[in-house]
Structures are given as C-alpha cells and as structure tokens.
Amino acid sequence: MDNLIINESQVSGCLLLTMEGVVNLYTSGDFEKKVYSATRDNDTILDLSKVTDISSSGLGILMSAHNDSEDNGHKMYILNPGKFVKKALDSTGFSDVFNIIHSINDI
C-alpha cells in the first residue's frame, strides 16, 4: 500500500504542509482533510517536492482547495512540485492556475 506523510508547521505567516509519498485513491482521504482544513482558515503553502505521484483525484482536491481558499480570502501556494506532480499540473493546464513558488521567499 502507498503512504503519504504530511507534516504541519508555520512559516512566513502561512501554514506549511510538507508532504512525502504518493497521492492516490488510498491516500487521498487524508490528503483532502489536511489540505481543506488548512486552506479554509489560512494562507497555505503545500510543499509537494517529495510527492512522487499524484492521481486525478489528488489534482481535483488541489483545484477545489485553491478555489475554496480564494473564496475565503486566503492564498494557496504550491512549493517545488516534484517531477511527476509538475508534469501532471502542466498536462492539465493547472500550472497556469496555481501559485507555484520555488522558495518560501517568493511569497
């Protein structure tokens, strides 16, 4: 079974979720809960540099969280998406929608 580790911290006035592993059918429930909870009440940075794969359900969660975040007056940033995440974002056109940053200093 695939695993997803999610760690939470505060940085630059934002909630930082650092993720490691795979976002797929097996892990998307935890991913969804953490991301939705974070983006509802905070400016949020999602560090996806160690995410090795993301399914279409994971991409849908990111899009919904992005929209909810904006609706609630917050920002959501994606920090250093890994190779496979970047490819998925690019192939769907989502890379043009999300605030993708390469450093915390880019905020």
Side-chain angles (χ1 to χ4, degrees):
M1 184 183 285
D2 298 316
N3 290 318
L4 180 66
I5 299 166
I6 303 173
N7 293 306
E8 193 175 302
S9 61
Q10 290 284 331
V11 64
S12 297
C14 296
L15 183 62
L16 172 65
L17 297 181
T18 304
M19 303 177 195
E20 182 176 351
V22 176
V23 180
N24 60 21
L25 180 64
Y26 300 109
T27 61
S28 63
D30 289 339
F31 179 72
E32 180 178 40
K33 286 178 195 169
K34 280 284 193 179
V35 171
Y36 283 177
S37 175
T39 57
R40 180 178 50 241
D41 300 320
N42 305 279
D43 287 343
T44 305
I45 302 168
L46 305 177
D47 181 350
L48 303 182
S49 60
K50 294 182 180 178
V51 172
T52 55
D53 199 10
I54 190 165
S55 67
S56 58
S57 61
L59 291 173
I61 292 165
L62 287 177
M63 183 56 78
S64 292
H66 171 76
N67 292 338
D68 289 349
S69 180
E70 285 188 339
D71 290 346
N72 290 316
H74 298 290
K75 292 192 182 265
M76 185 183 92
Y77 302 93
I78 295 179
L79 175 64
N80 288 328
K83 177 172 79 171
F84 294 104
V85 174
K86 179 82 170 103
K87 183 178 178 182
L89 294 174
D90 289 345
S91 67
T92 57
F94 288 177
S95 56
D96 295 332
V97 175
F98 294 125
N99 299 309
I100 297 176
I101 59 174
H102 300 287
S103 166
I104 299 292
N105 296 328
D106 292 344
I107 298 175

